[in-house]
Amino acid sequence: MANLYHFPFCANSRFVRLVLAEMGLEPTLVEERSWDRRDEFLLINPAGTTPVLLEQSGTVIPGAAIIAEYLDETRGLGLSGRRLLPEDPTGRVEVRRLMDWFLVKFEGEVTGYLVAEKIAKRFMSSSQGGGPPDMNAIRAARTNVRYHLKYIGYLIARRRWLAGDDLSYADLAAAAHLSCVDYLGDVPWEEDEMARNWYARVKSRPSFRTLLADRVAGMPPAAHYADLDF
Amino acid sequence: MANLYHFPFCANSRFVRLVLAEMGLEPTLVEERSWDRRDEFLLINPAGTTPVLLEQSGTVIPGAAIIAEYLDETRGLGLSGRRLLPEDPTGRVEVRRLMDWFLVKFEGEVTGYLVAEKIAKRFMSSSQGGGPPDMNAIRAARTNVRYHLKYIGYLIARRRWLAGDDLSYADLAAAAHLSCVDYLGDVPWEEDEMARNWYARVKSRPSFRTLLADRVAGMPPAAHYADLDF
């Protein structure tokens, strides 16, 4: 149906892969390493970031949250009961608040650091910023992830899914980010049983399967990464 | 109609003030200094950031882009020809792309540095991170602003307004950010005549007036800040 320019460990790209799979859509995946700043890629997204969805019509939709809004507007109505953004304005605010929490805040405080330091730097040349990981950045991320996990636990103690009664973009955004951190073994699951059970629920969905098959060459995932009963 | 928790030199708050004024809505402005991390404020927005819109009904809407979506959904239809988010999905993608460009990317590369270093640090205690400005951060922002200005000039050479034929959230987001940087005298207007003319057009709108009246105590704006024919 469309091309998705992504990087397998770009958590915001993973979010879009989950959304497309939940909607029953199968994009052609095109791996893009944003640090290469490829001219053809910059032409379709001047911001130079993944993910970008390219429709067969030629319409370019850049950015995870913008893709989510676009897919809801163009395919959401066909999903009826399985729509990932609620219909009422107040419900939409809560889903968008939490989607932003994970796609932007969690990315900036946790995933961005870990993926850059542990994964992306392996693939970058030294002029692109490659080299050994900065342990201070990794330590900061490992500290930050703890309060986010607690926040998920807090929400899920009060609601069936993160933003309310139904699975929504909020759950997929949070789980996409946690899946990257979990691959690296940096989620302290033992600190929050509620958060862990919620993650096991999301991870068991068929939409999650392809994410669990991703591997970084020479860097196997944490032992429980693809285990649905971790 | 509602309370807007804002900081006068938080560019994302300025964006929401412009949006509300363009819609003919007059919020009660409540000044919030996010670095104080006030308990009552954290209760309504756990992310601790401005802006936050609090409706009389008690509905809390946190974050500039989320407020923009919410206002379009709850008040947009009544604006007919003056709607700030177009109706067609492709037009919406372009407005959202540029809104995100300024609210997130420009904030992260330009406004965030300048406002933190030159303004916020004056009000912060030393434990909050107050103190003298970091000149490296200011220099980085002054370098970054140049390519953003060029990008505005590039877009406006091809379109009437930033995202197309009509004034949209994209123009208000860009102008809100530039207004903060302009107060500090850090926009090299002489480098792009097209961008300068576009900004003069937005700045002349009645919605802009209250922004031009804002002052930082002991720090007057650049000479041309409130001048409509700068």
Short mmCIF file of all heavy atoms in Angstrom, two decimals, chain A residues 11 14-15 18-20 22 84 103 162 167-177 198 202 205 207-208:
data_model
loop_
_atom_site.label_atom_id
_atom_site.label_comp_id
_atom_site.label_asym_id
_atom_site.label_seq_id
_atom_site.Cartn_x
_atom_site.Cartn_y
_atom_site.Cartn_z
N ALA A 11 12.48 4.03 17.53
CA ALA A 11 11.24 3.66 18.24
C ALA A 11 10.02 4.31 17.61
O ALA A 11 8.93 3.72 17.59
CB ALA A 11 11.35 4.04 19.72
N ARG A 14 9.01 2.20 14.85
CA ARG A 14 8.33 0.99 15.37
C ARG A 14 6.88 1.28 15.70
O ARG A 14 5.99 0.46 15.48
CB ARG A 14 9.05 0.49 16.63
CG ARG A 14 10.37 -0.16 16.35
CD ARG A 14 10.94 -0.84 17.58
NE ARG A 14 11.92 -1.82 17.15
CZ ARG A 14 12.22 -2.95 17.77
NH1 ARG A 14 11.63 -3.25 18.92
NH2 ARG A 14 13.11 -3.77 17.28
N PHE A 15 6.64 2.45 16.27
CA PHE A 15 5.26 2.85 16.58
C PHE A 15 4.41 2.81 15.31
O PHE A 15 3.32 2.24 15.30
CB PHE A 15 5.27 4.26 17.20
CG PHE A 15 3.92 4.94 17.20
CD1 PHE A 15 2.88 4.47 18.00
CD2 PHE A 15 3.70 6.06 16.41
CE1 PHE A 15 1.65 5.11 17.99
CE2 PHE A 15 2.47 6.69 16.41
CZ PHE A 15 1.44 6.22 17.20
N LEU A 18 3.63 -0.68 14.21
CA LEU A 18 2.55 -1.25 15.02
C LEU A 18 1.19 -0.72 14.58
O LEU A 18 0.22 -1.47 14.44
CB LEU A 18 2.77 -0.91 16.51
CG LEU A 18 3.92 -1.62 17.21
CD1 LEU A 18 4.08 -1.09 18.64
CD2 LEU A 18 3.66 -3.13 17.25
N VAL A 19 1.12 0.59 14.34
CA VAL A 19 -0.15 1.20 13.94
C VAL A 19 -0.63 0.59 12.62
O VAL A 19 -1.80 0.18 12.49
CB VAL A 19 0.00 2.73 13.79
CG1 VAL A 19 -1.23 3.34 13.14
CG2 VAL A 19 0.27 3.37 15.15
N LEU A 20 0.27 0.50 11.65
CA LEU A 20 -0.10 -0.06 10.34
C LEU A 20 -0.56 -1.50 10.49
O LEU A 20 -1.57 -1.91 9.91
CB LEU A 20 1.10 0.03 9.38
CG LEU A 20 1.45 1.45 8.91
CD1 LEU A 20 2.84 1.46 8.24
CD2 LEU A 20 0.41 2.00 7.94
N GLU A 22 -1.84 -2.93 13.18
CA GLU A 22 -3.15 -2.97 13.85
C GLU A 22 -4.27 -2.63 12.87
O GLU A 22 -5.41 -3.05 13.03
CB GLU A 22 -3.18 -1.98 15.04
CG GLU A 22 -2.35 -2.43 16.25
CD GLU A 22 -2.98 -3.59 17.02
OE1 GLU A 22 -4.20 -3.80 16.89
OE2 GLU A 22 -2.24 -4.29 17.73
N LEU A 84 -7.99 3.69 16.79
CA LEU A 84 -6.93 3.89 17.77
C LEU A 84 -6.89 5.30 18.35
O LEU A 84 -6.09 5.60 19.24
CB LEU A 84 -5.57 3.53 17.14
CG LEU A 84 -5.46 2.05 16.74
CD1 LEU A 84 -4.34 1.83 15.74
CD2 LEU A 84 -5.27 1.18 17.98
N LEU A 103 6.46 9.55 22.33
CA LEU A 103 7.17 9.84 21.07
C LEU A 103 8.17 10.98 21.22
O LEU A 103 9.16 11.03 20.50
CB LEU A 103 6.17 10.20 19.96
CG LEU A 103 5.15 9.13 19.55
CD1 LEU A 103 4.30 9.61 18.38
CD2 LEU A 103 5.83 7.81 19.17
N LEU A 162 -3.67 2.32 28.53
CA LEU A 162 -3.00 3.53 29.06
C LEU A 162 -3.88 4.78 29.05
O LEU A 162 -3.84 5.57 30.00
CB LEU A 162 -1.72 3.83 28.26
CG LEU A 162 -0.47 3.04 28.63
CD1 LEU A 162 0.75 3.66 27.95
CD2 LEU A 162 -0.24 3.01 30.14
N LEU A 167 -7.57 0.03 23.67
CA LEU A 167 -6.23 0.14 23.11
C LEU A 167 -6.19 1.38 22.22
O LEU A 167 -7.13 1.64 21.47
CB LEU A 167 -5.94 -1.10 22.25
CG LEU A 167 -4.58 -1.10 21.53
CD1 LEU A 167 -3.49 -1.59 22.47
CD2 LEU A 167 -4.61 -1.95 20.26
N SER A 168 -5.10 2.16 22.31
CA SER A 168 -5.02 3.39 21.51
C SER A 168 -3.58 3.64 21.09
O SER A 168 -2.66 2.89 21.45
CB SER A 168 -5.53 4.58 22.32
OG SER A 168 -4.56 4.95 23.28
N TYR A 169 -3.41 4.71 20.34
CA TYR A 169 -2.06 5.14 19.96
C TYR A 169 -1.14 5.26 21.18
O TYR A 169 0.07 5.08 21.08
CB TYR A 169 -2.13 6.50 19.26
CG TYR A 169 -2.64 6.47 17.83
CD1 TYR A 169 -3.32 7.56 17.30
CD2 TYR A 169 -2.41 5.38 17.00
CE1 TYR A 169 -3.77 7.57 15.98
CE2 TYR A 169 -2.87 5.37 15.68
CZ TYR A 169 -3.54 6.47 15.18
OH TYR A 169 -3.98 6.47 13.88
N ALA A 170 -1.70 5.61 22.34
CA ALA A 170 -0.89 5.77 23.54
C ALA A 170 -0.16 4.47 23.90
O ALA A 170 1.04 4.46 24.18
CB ALA A 170 -1.76 6.24 24.71
N ASP A 171 -0.90 3.35 23.87
CA ASP A 171 -0.27 2.06 24.19
C ASP A 171 0.79 1.68 23.18
O ASP A 171 1.86 1.19 23.54
CB ASP A 171 -1.34 0.95 24.21
CG ASP A 171 -2.43 1.23 25.23
OD1 ASP A 171 -2.19 0.96 26.41
OD2 ASP A 171 -3.49 1.75 24.84
N LEU A 172 0.49 1.94 21.90
CA LEU A 172 1.44 1.53 20.86
C LEU A 172 2.70 2.38 20.91
O LEU A 172 3.81 1.89 20.69
CB LEU A 172 0.77 1.61 19.48
CG LEU A 172 -0.50 0.76 19.32
CD1 LEU A 172 -1.06 0.89 17.91
CD2 LEU A 172 -0.24 -0.73 19.64
N ALA A 173 2.55 3.67 21.24
CA ALA A 173 3.72 4.55 21.35
C ALA A 173 4.59 4.10 22.52
O ALA A 173 5.82 3.96 22.40
CB ALA A 173 3.29 6.00 21.52
N ALA A 174 3.97 3.86 23.65
CA ALA A 174 4.73 3.45 24.84
C ALA A 174 5.41 2.10 24.61
O ALA A 174 6.59 1.93 24.92
CB ALA A 174 3.79 3.38 26.05
N ALA A 175 4.68 1.16 24.04
CA ALA A 175 5.24 -0.18 23.85
C ALA A 175 6.34 -0.18 22.79
O ALA A 175 7.34 -0.90 22.92
CB ALA A 175 4.13 -1.17 23.46
N ALA A 176 6.20 0.64 21.75
CA ALA A 176 7.25 0.73 20.73
C ALA A 176 8.55 1.20 21.37
O ALA A 176 9.62 0.65 21.12
CB ALA A 176 6.82 1.70 19.62
N HIS A 177 8.45 2.21 22.21
CA HIS A 177 9.66 2.73 22.86
C HIS A 177 10.23 1.70 23.84
O HIS A 177 11.44 1.45 23.86
CB HIS A 177 9.37 4.07 23.54
CG HIS A 177 9.50 5.18 22.55
ND1 HIS A 177 10.67 5.88 22.38
CD2 HIS A 177 8.65 5.68 21.62
CE1 HIS A 177 10.52 6.77 21.40
NE2 HIS A 177 9.30 6.67 20.92
N TRP A 198 1.02 -5.03 31.66
CA TRP A 198 0.47 -4.28 30.52
C TRP A 198 1.34 -4.51 29.28
O TRP A 198 0.83 -4.78 28.19
CB TRP A 198 0.40 -2.78 30.87
CG TRP A 198 0.35 -1.91 29.66
CD1 TRP A 198 -0.76 -1.57 28.94
CD2 TRP A 198 1.47 -1.32 28.98
NE1 TRP A 198 -0.41 -0.80 27.87
CE2 TRP A 198 0.96 -0.63 27.86
CE3 TRP A 198 2.85 -1.30 29.21
CZ2 TRP A 198 1.79 0.07 26.98
CZ3 TRP A 198 3.68 -0.61 28.34
CH2 TRP A 198 3.13 0.06 27.24
N VAL A 202 0.43 -6.05 25.43
CA VAL A 202 0.64 -5.40 24.12
C VAL A 202 1.56 -6.26 23.25
O VAL A 202 1.33 -6.47 22.06
CB VAL A 202 1.23 -3.99 24.28
CG1 VAL A 202 1.33 -3.30 22.92
CG2 VAL A 202 0.39 -3.14 25.22
N ARG A 205 0.24 -9.12 21.06
CA ARG A 205 -0.61 -8.86 19.90
C ARG A 205 0.13 -9.23 18.61
O ARG A 205 1.34 -9.02 18.50
CB ARG A 205 -1.02 -7.38 19.86
CG ARG A 205 -1.81 -6.98 21.09
CD ARG A 205 -2.20 -5.53 21.03
NE ARG A 205 -3.23 -5.29 20.04
CZ ARG A 205 -4.53 -5.44 20.25
NH1 ARG A 205 -4.97 -5.85 21.43
NH2 ARG A 205 -5.40 -5.19 19.29
N SER A 207 0.37 -7.71 15.94
CA SER A 207 1.05 -6.56 15.34
C SER A 207 2.50 -6.44 15.81
O SER A 207 3.32 -5.79 15.18
CB SER A 207 0.31 -5.26 15.69
OG SER A 207 0.29 -5.05 17.10
N PHE A 208 2.81 -7.04 16.95
CA PHE A 208 4.13 -6.91 17.56
C PHE A 208 5.16 -7.87 16.96
O PHE A 208 6.36 -7.70 17.15
CB PHE A 208 4.03 -7.16 19.07
CG PHE A 208 4.70 -6.10 19.90
CD1 PHE A 208 4.02 -4.92 20.19
CD2 PHE A 208 5.99 -6.25 20.39
CE1 PHE A 208 4.62 -3.92 20.95
CE2 PHE A 208 6.60 -5.27 21.14
CZ PHE A 208 5.91 -4.10 21.42
#
